[in-house]
Amino acid sequence: MGLSRLPRAPRVLHLPGQGRDQPPASCRWRGDTGRARQGQPPSPAAPEDGPDTIAVVGHSCPLYPRLLGRDCSGRPLQSDDADETAAPWSRDAEGRSPGSHQLGHRSDGPACTPVQRALLALTVPLETLQAVKGRMLQAMRKGLSRQTHAQANVRMLPTYICSMPDGTEKGDLLVVELCQSHVRTLWVTFLGDGNQSPQVMDKTFNMPGDIMQGKGETLFDFIAQCVRQFLAGIGSPQHRLPLGFVFPFSCRQTRLDKAELISWSKGFSCSDVEGKDVVQLLQSAINKQELHHVDVVALMNDTVGTMMSCSMGGNPCEVALVVDKGTNSCFMAEAQQVEMAEETSGRMCVNTEWGGFGDDGTLSDVLTPYDQHVDQESSNPGEKRFEKLVGSLYLGEIVRHALITLAAEKALFIGSSVAILRTKDVLKTQQVLEIIDNEEGMAKARNVLEALRLQPNERDCCRVQQICRVVVSRAAALCAAGLAAILSHMCQSRELEQLVVNVGVDGELYRGHTRFREILQSVTGLLAPECTVTLLPSVDGTGQGAAMVTAVALRLAAQRREVDQLLAPLRLSRADLERVQALMRQEMELGLSQETNANSSVRMLPTYVRGTPDGTERGEFLALDLGGTNFRVLVVRVAQDGIRMASEVYVIPTTVTQGTGNALFDHIVECIMDFQLKQDLMEQVLPLGFTFSFPCQQLGLDKAVLLSWTKGFSASGCVGQDVVELLREAAQRKEHLGMKVVAVVNDTVGTMMSCGYDDPKCEIGLIVGTGTNACYMEEMQNVGTVEGDQGRMCINMEWGAFGDNGCLDDIFTDFDRLVDEKTINPGKQRFEKLISGMYLGEIVRHILLALVEKQLLFRGKPCPKLQTRDIFQTKFLSTIEIDGLALRQVAAILQDLELQASFEDSVLVREVCQTVSLRAAQLCAAGLAAVVEKMRENRQLDQLAVTVGVDGTLYKMHPHFSQHLQQMLQDLAPNCTVTFLQSEDGSGKGAALVAAVACRGAEPQ
């Protein structure tokens, strides 16, 4: 259960009698936080406030206790003691402490006493804490970046832990934990009951002291022997046992089960381990013990275990902080920001290794001479500077050096020999924590000091307690600054205005000291006000937490196998795509031949467009663009200085698209008349190019017989009819004479013509939008369905129907078949249904339903809305796959569909979208590769340079489709240099240009 969050204190507290424009002098929070818990603001300091206070001085927030003329029990001191402990600014010019001076009003008195200097040196103002937070943020970013990682002191190491417990974890797991002086082994059984009642057996094995500095092989052999003895003692079965290894040292992980030791710390210095994979070293040692059924599957440090153990109660915990002999933190970072890992989706736990923060000198304004002495006497001088300010291994030493200095300045232990204080580790951090206790602290201080034969008086005990308190308070405040940096980073990277987060905390300092917890909570609130934090004390983070990491890893591995199996049919190999390319080429040849055209699924329809624009076209032209439920009418003015257009979009209701042909074409003519009226063109008869984006057999430039409806159209009385004639008849019914249809083209040809106006090399048109199609300039001698051998003609491939004859059946998956069955034209346009925007969302929806059914998504909970056809639109794929889109935004899209997605769910949904869209792009590339290779061979070129005019919302709007298409095309057609030119209104401007080219060709020479 987490601590309640304390109200945030204001940054500056004003005392009675102090002007708002004056620097505030002194105020404080009460140590028992009773007022804070009741929602009241912290009380200003008063002379009668007891010793259990945290002072706030000036514009800053120094966190240390001050006695202000009282002893450690709150009683007034005698005059000498009062002089020594009074605030430095409460003296007069002669150094006296007149009672008439108000508390908090600074005078120009002499320098501080030695005790005051020590307290002030060990105090970190709020401004400095804010600066420390900022420096920690910079150090974190440096560690995350691939470019600067090697120079970073905060290493930000990826852990490859990418998921939180979901309560379904079950099974038996082993954990082995390497500790300071012992090895701990655990057998943990999870029951799949929401992790409410894991069963735990454990045993601790004391480690011989010489192992810590001996051979690495000896250390790992000892650990493996502990595992063997533990398993023998509990009579474990011989089935496979996954083991999680808690290894609390800096490692460079490349997988959850692969980690190279960077450096030893905490007194360890075993040889032949640094730079080696410690997982492999442990596995080898376990194998030597003939424990071949034990597999080391996960390595983590104690911090990660803390985070995971605090996530077992149903509330996800995304940050952990350990303040023990050493200190460290970890948090769930956006994976794309962890540049040292190849994972780019979802989140990954990052082990900050923040103990090395400040090794580059960034903490110089915090370090005191006492800290420098501690560092110099340590086994690693100049390293782990932050840890040496915070970790319990060092706090007793900091106090010891402060006492040595004060004794030398005659401020403590006058008349006593203090030689004992020069002995390293003579004062333990546990004693420091006992001394700062409000109730028993003074007695404990006396006992500790007397045991060292220092003969303390009451004032000595009081001052030692002050020093102990300020050292521990500083450690808590610095931890808070580091934690605030993590929280602010998470808030910023997730693009949140307010972050609500649980923080798992463990370690002897946090567990054993109420003041430490309170300072950590309140200062974190001050430094990261945009974050609402609940601190959760860890329960056996290194034991059960490590078991949970292992269990989650096994769950994810099992889920990964199932997901891969489900998606495998959609993941096409290079050989698959080469076969599709060959089949497309085969179908093209069949479609071009008069004899075999009827047997080809690719119709290869002649368009009677014999040339592309040459720049001499002039005049005004109408264009009509009918390719979906929205259609446009345009007027295009082609002049020497370029092309100008005006257009308007009209909607065709579903009742019209699925009604009668007469109603459809009457509606179209009414819209043309409306447009010409608005453009003041009713008095002119303008040539019209008609973009008709449905399969047609073209019998002339202005004669096209509709072969079949697609894209949801089913208007009766149209299939088998000349659509130009249907349009002319509707114009007669409406008595509209202001247009003359001179050319009918589909949108693909229009796209090619539009881009051909800008690039003469544009001889291919490609549409990848609601539907898909391609056209290209074929040699007339190869077009067996039209008379003539000279020159070239644009061929409308109608490749959406590729595979309708069954040649692609082994490419179609069960999901494709489910989509096809529910369309208005089952068995038709099979290639289009693998590629185009009208169908990709439906393919994704059916995959998501299968994942839910297999309990791999949304925790297997029923998703009624996901059963609705077309609910998952293709535009969602484009949005979800945007690089850098935060997972919360993916979750928000799913939330709109009433799908409650965890961030793991969001990652999986993104993967499904990526798989479906990648397949679409690769299939499109295979088709296009067949086209460009045929053109190259037609022209007998070693290398073809050609431009593809391309249009369609999927190509233009999807963040990766075009890139995947171009990359695969280059792989499949390496002898072709293909440039892609996005069409600017191909189906409108292109149709007008077809009409313009036709009119140009009809003019007398």
Side-chain angles (χ1 to χ4, degrees):
M1 184 173 175
L3 297 172
S4 60
R5 191 170 189 278
L6 300 179
R8 297 193 185 101
R11 297 178 185 276
V12 176
L13 302 178
H14 295 276
L15 297 182
Q18 179 183 326
R20 290 273 167 180
D21 56 346
Q22 294 175 317
S26 172
C27 52
R28 55 181 70 185
W29 296 313
R30 294 185 178 276
D32 65 6
T33 67
R35 292 169 61 86
R37 289 196 186 96
Q38 298 167 23
Q40 300 177 29
S43 62
E48 58 272 13
D49 276 331
D52 56 339
T53 55
I54 305 167
V56 181
V57 179
H59 287 285
S60 56
C61 176
L63 298 162
Y64 63 84
R66 218 152 9 93
L67 301 181
L68 299 167
R70 296 175 178 266
D71 69 14
C72 291
S73 302
R75 297 188 300 272
L77 290 171
Q78 300 304 313
S79 58
D80 287 347
D81 288 347
D83 284 351
E84 287 295 317
T85 57
W89 48 83
S90 63
R91 297 170 179 269
D92 63 17
E94 278 69 54
R96 296 188 300 271
S97 302
S100 59
H101 279 199
Q102 287 187 331
L103 173 65
H105 281 263
R106 187 167 188 163
S107 71
D108 297 323
C112 298
T113 66
V115 172
Q116 291 163 348
R117 279 199 304 273
L119 293 174
L120 289 171
L122 288 162
T123 297
V124 187
L126 182 59
E127 288 88 343
T128 304
L129 289 173
Q130 287 169 329
V132 169
K133 173 194 170 184
R135 294 171 209 156
M136 178 70 84
L137 270 168
Q138 289 180 336
M140 288 167 57
R141 294 187 187 111
K142 193 172 180 180
L144 286 170
S145 168
R146 186 181 296 276
Q147 290 182 330
T148 55
H149 176 81
Q151 295 81 43
N153 296 307
V154 179
R155 302 303 299 274
M156 304 299 283
L157 301 172
T159 66
Y160 294 86
I161 292 167
C162 300
S163 184
M164 297 272 106
D166 69 358
T168 64
E169 292 79 14
K170 61 194 305 184
D172 299 325
L173 303 120
L174 268 177
V175 173
V176 59
E177 177 189 359
L178 178 59
C179 304
Q180 190 77 25
S181 58
H182 60 273
V183 170
R184 182 178 176 224
T185 53
L186 299 95
W187 176 287
V188 181
T189 302
F190 292 112
L191 304 175
D193 61 351
N195 305 319
Q196 296 301 309
S197 53
Q199 299 173 0
V200 181
M201 294 182 285
D202 70 330
K203 185 174 182 179
T204 298
F205 297 85
N206 291 325
M207 188 163 50
D210 57 347
I211 283 184
M212 293 171 64
Q213 287 84 34
K215 290 184 178 180
E217 184 179 7
T218 305
L219 170 66
F220 286 97
D221 284 345
F222 176 75
I223 296 172
Q225 289 164 14
C226 295
V227 172
R228 181 173 57 77
Q229 291 179 36
F230 176 63
L231 292 177
I234 63 174
S236 72
Q238 291 297 302
H239 64 73
R240 177 179 180 255
L241 280 176
L243 182 147
F245 183 22
V246 183
F247 189 72
F249 303 97
S250 295
C251 289
R252 183 179 294 105
Q253 276 190 266
T254 51
R255 296 197 313 251
L256 192 55
D257 61 351
K258 185 176 177 61
E260 294 178 0
L261 175 63
I262 295 173
S263 62
W264 288 112
S265 60
K266 304 170 189 173
F268 279 78
S269 58
C270 299
S271 61
D272 297 323
V273 181
E274 290 183 355
K276 294 187 178 178
D277 180 4
V278 293
V279 173
Q280 188 55 51
L281 292 174
L282 178 58
Q283 187 68 65
S284 298
I286 286 173
N287 292 343
K288 277 198 284 183
Q289 298 295 321
E290 298 187 350
L291 299 172
H292 298 292
H293 62 302
V294 176
D295 293 329
V296 186
V297 300
L299 178 137
M300 72 235 66
N301 63 15
D302 49 352
T303 320
V304 175
T306 294
M307 184 182 77
M308 293 299 268
S309 73
C310 291
S311 296
M312 288 169 55
N315 297 316
C317 174
E318 296 187 88
V319 187
L321 169 67
V322 170
V323 198
D324 206 80
K325 289 182 171 60
T327 182
N328 196 14
S329 59
C330 67
F331 68 100
M332 295 300 289
E334 303 303 300
Q336 65 192 12
Q337 295 185 347
V338 188
E339 295 181 11
M340 295 305 294
E342 293 183 0
E343 189 71 37
T344 58
S345 185
R347 292 182 186 145
M348 180 182 287
C349 179
V350 170
N351 167 25
T352 68
E353 288 295 338
W354 74 5
F357 175 49
D359 289 0
D360 57 357
T362 50
L363 290 176
S364 57
D365 55 344
V366 174
L367 297 173
T368 67
Y370 323 126
D371 302 309
Q372 303 289 17
H373 288 305
V374 171
D375 178 57
Q376 289 160 14
E377 293 178 1
S378 70
S379 61
N380 54 349
E383 299 177 9
K384 301 281 182 180
R385 300 310 297 269
F386 188 67
E387 182 165 282
K388 289 170 185 172
L389 296 171
V390 168
S392 65
L393 193 63
Y394 305 98
L395 299 191
E397 284 293 279
I398 297 170
V399 171
R400 181 176 68 86
H401 278 285
L403 299 187
I404 290 171
T405 302
L406 290 173
E409 294 177 324
K410 306 297 184 184
L412 285 177
F413 314 128
I414 297 170
S416 299
S417 170
V418 294
I420 188 66
L421 289 176
R422 302 197 180 280
T423 304
K424 188 178 178 184
D425 293 327
V426 73
L427 186 61
K428 306 295 185 186
T429 295
Q430 184 55 42
Q431 294 172 317
V432 170
L433 295 176
E434 292 169 357
I435 287 171
I436 63 178
D437 180 78
N438 284 337
E439 302 298 327
E440 307 294 336
M442 281 291 286
K444 184 63 183 178
R446 184 173 295 279
N447 292 340
V448 168
L449 297 174
E450 286 179 348
L452 298 174
R453 300 177 182 175
L454 292 173
Q455 299 176 359
N457 59 29
E458 186 175 10
R459 186 174 65 174
D460 290 334
C461 295
C462 200
R463 287 173 175 174
V464 169
Q465 188 182 52
Q466 284 183 288
I467 295 296
C468 291
R469 281 182 173 173
V470 76
V471 167
V472 174
S473 295
R474 183 184 66 161
L478 288 170
C479 273
L483 178 57
I486 289 174
L487 299 173
S488 291
H489 174 83
M490 292 173 68
C491 193
Q492 292 163 14
S493 62
R494 298 182 186 185
E495 299 176 4
L496 298 173
E497 292 183 6
Q498 186 78 21
L499 174 71
V500 180
V501 69
N502 293 327
V503 177
V505 195
D506 203 356
E508 120 183 72
L509 276 177
Y510 181 82
R511 288 194 305 267
H513 182 37
T514 303
R515 182 184 297 277
F516 190 98
R517 296 199 297 269
E518 290 172 349
I519 295 171
L520 178 65
Q521 177 94 48
S522 59
V523 177
T524 300
L526 279 171
L527 296 176
E530 74 279 19
C531 304
T532 301
V533 182
T534 302
L535 299 181
L536 302 176
S538 171
V539 178
D540 192 13
T542 51
Q544 292 185 36
M548 182 51 65
V549 171
T550 310
V552 169
L554 293 171
R555 171 174 61 80
L556 291 179
Q559 288 179 351
R560 172 45 49 195
R561 288 191 293 272
E562 287 197 74
V563 169
D564 285 344
Q565 185 177 1
L566 191 93
L567 296 180
L570 293 115
R571 290 173 170 154
L572 302 179
S573 66
R574 172 71 180 265
D576 292 331
L577 294 167
E578 287 174 344
R579 193 160 49 79
V580 171
Q581 178 183 353
L583 284 168
M584 177 67 85
R585 176 66 180 270
Q586 178 181 310
E587 292 293 299
M588 289 171 69
E589 301 289 2
L590 290 172
L592 284 170
S593 169
Q594 179 72 42
E595 292 75 25
T596 56
N597 176 270
N599 300 324
S600 173
S601 61
V602 181
R603 301 299 301 274
M604 303 298 285
L605 304 172
T607 66
Y608 295 86
V609 173
R610 302 290 302 272
T612 54
D614 64 6
T616 65
E617 297 79 17
R618 301 287 183 272
E620 283 190 325
F621 305 90
L622 284 175
L624 174 61
D625 175 16
L626 177 62
T629 52
N630 291 340
F631 81 103
R632 292 179 308 145
V633 185
L634 308 91
V635 59
V636 180
R637 298 174 176 88
V638 184
Q640 186 171 357
D641 60 349
I643 294 178
R644 293 186 300 278
M645 297 186 297
S647 66
E648 186 158 345
V649 176
Y650 295 89
V651 176
I652 307 179
T654 303
T655 54
V656 175
T657 63
Q658 298 178 5
T660 66
N662 282 355
L664 173 62
F665 282 92
D666 283 353
H667 180 75
I668 291 169
V669 170
E670 288 169 2
C671 294
I672 293 171
M673 294 169 66
D674 176 74
F675 177 77
Q676 286 188 266
L677 184 64
K678 289 177 180 176
Q679 294 291 325
D680 196 21
L681 298 172
M682 291 296 283
E683 303 303 319
Q684 301 180 53
V685 179
L686 297 179
L688 183 143
F690 183 13
T691 299
F692 189 73
S693 305
F694 300 91
C696 289
Q697 181 179 3
Q698 203 142 354
L699 304 176
L701 191 59
D702 64 347
K703 186 174 180 63
V705 175
L706 176 64
L707 297 175
S708 62
W709 284 118
T710 58
K711 305 173 192 176
F713 277 67
S714 60
S716 62
C718 299
V719 175
Q721 301 297 311
D722 177 4
V723 295
V724 174
E725 194 57 37
L726 292 175
L727 184 62
R728 287 170 177 159
E729 289 171 0
Q732 288 175 355
R733 286 195 297 273
K734 296 295 180 181
E735 299 181 351
H736 180 55
L737 306 176
M739 66 179 194
K740 176 186 176 184
V741 184
V742 298
V744 60
V745 296
N746 69 7
D747 52 351
T748 321
V749 178
T751 293
M752 182 188 76
M753 296 293 279
S754 171
C755 293
Y757 185 82
D758 299 313
D759 183 350
K761 288 185 179 178
C762 183
E763 296 186 87
I764 302 173
L766 173 66
I767 298 289
V768 196
T770 307
T772 183
N773 194 16
C775 69
Y776 72 103
M777 296 301 291
E778 178 61 88
E779 308 302 311
M780 278 294 295
Q781 63 191 18
N782 296 332
V783 185
T785 53
V786 174
E787 292 184 3
D789 293 332
Q790 300 302 310
R792 295 172 183 154
M793 179 179 286
C794 180
I795 297 297
N796 167 25
M797 295 177 65
E798 289 296 341
W799 79 2
F802 176 41
D804 286 5
N805 59 0
C807 67
L808 290 181
D809 280 0
D810 57 340
I811 295 293
F812 295 120
T813 67
D814 291 340
F815 308 115
D816 300 312
R817 294 185 183 94
L818 287 169
V819 171
D820 179 54
E821 288 168 5
K822 297 298 182 182
T823 60
I824 61 172
N825 56 347
K828 304 293 184 184
Q829 298 294 111
R830 301 296 300 277
F831 192 58
E832 181 169 272
K833 289 171 185 173
L834 299 175
I835 289 176
S836 73
M838 190 167 189
Y839 305 101
L840 298 191
E842 270 297 275
I843 298 171
V844 168
R845 183 178 71 86
H846 281 289
I847 296 171
L848 298 185
L849 284 170
L851 290 169
V852 172
E853 186 178 348
K854 289 179 176 290
Q855 308 270 309
L856 299 172
L857 189 64
F858 309 134
R859 299 192 181 185
K861 294 178 181 176
C863 304
K865 201 158 184 178
L866 202 55
Q867 302 283 349
T868 308
R869 188 179 161 205
D870 295 325
I871 195 72
F872 199 96
Q873 299 171 32
T874 297
K875 69 178 182 182
F876 294 156
L877 276 76
S878 297
T879 305
I880 286 170
E881 291 186 56
I882 292 172
D883 285 334
L885 186 74
L887 287 174
R888 68 176 185 85
Q889 292 170 288
V890 177
I893 292 170
L894 299 174
Q895 175 70 45
D896 290 342
L897 302 177
E898 299 176 11
L899 303 173
Q900 303 299 323
S902 66
F903 81 83
E904 290 96 340
D905 291 333
S906 300
V907 170
L908 184 50
V909 170
R910 178 181 281 169
E911 181 182 358
V912 171
C913 292
Q914 289 168 337
T915 301
V916 170
S917 65
L918 175 62
R919 182 186 68 156
Q922 291 179 333
L923 286 170
C924 193
L928 206 51
V931 173
V932 296
E933 276 296 304
K934 185 175 193 318
M935 292 176 70
R936 185 183 67 81
E937 292 174 18
N938 284 346
R939 300 175 190 189
Q940 299 179 347
L941 299 172
D942 293 332
Q943 192 76 24
L944 172 71
V946 68
T947 296
V948 177
V950 61
D951 203 352
T953 51
L954 185 58
Y955 183 92
K956 287 183 171 180
M957 303 304 293
H958 190 280
H960 302 296
F961 189 95
S962 61
Q963 176 188 349
H964 292 319
L965 166 60
Q966 293 172 36
Q967 187 174 5
M968 185 50 65
L969 177 59
Q970 190 173 9
D971 289 346
L972 295 174
N975 296 320
C976 300
T977 303
V978 184
T979 303
F980 285 79
L981 181 61
Q982 284 196 28
S983 169
E984 297 297 331
D985 192 18
S987 50
K989 183 172 78 172
L993 284 168
V994 172
V997 171
C999 292
R1000 183 194 74 200
E1003 290 173 359
Q1005 301 299 312

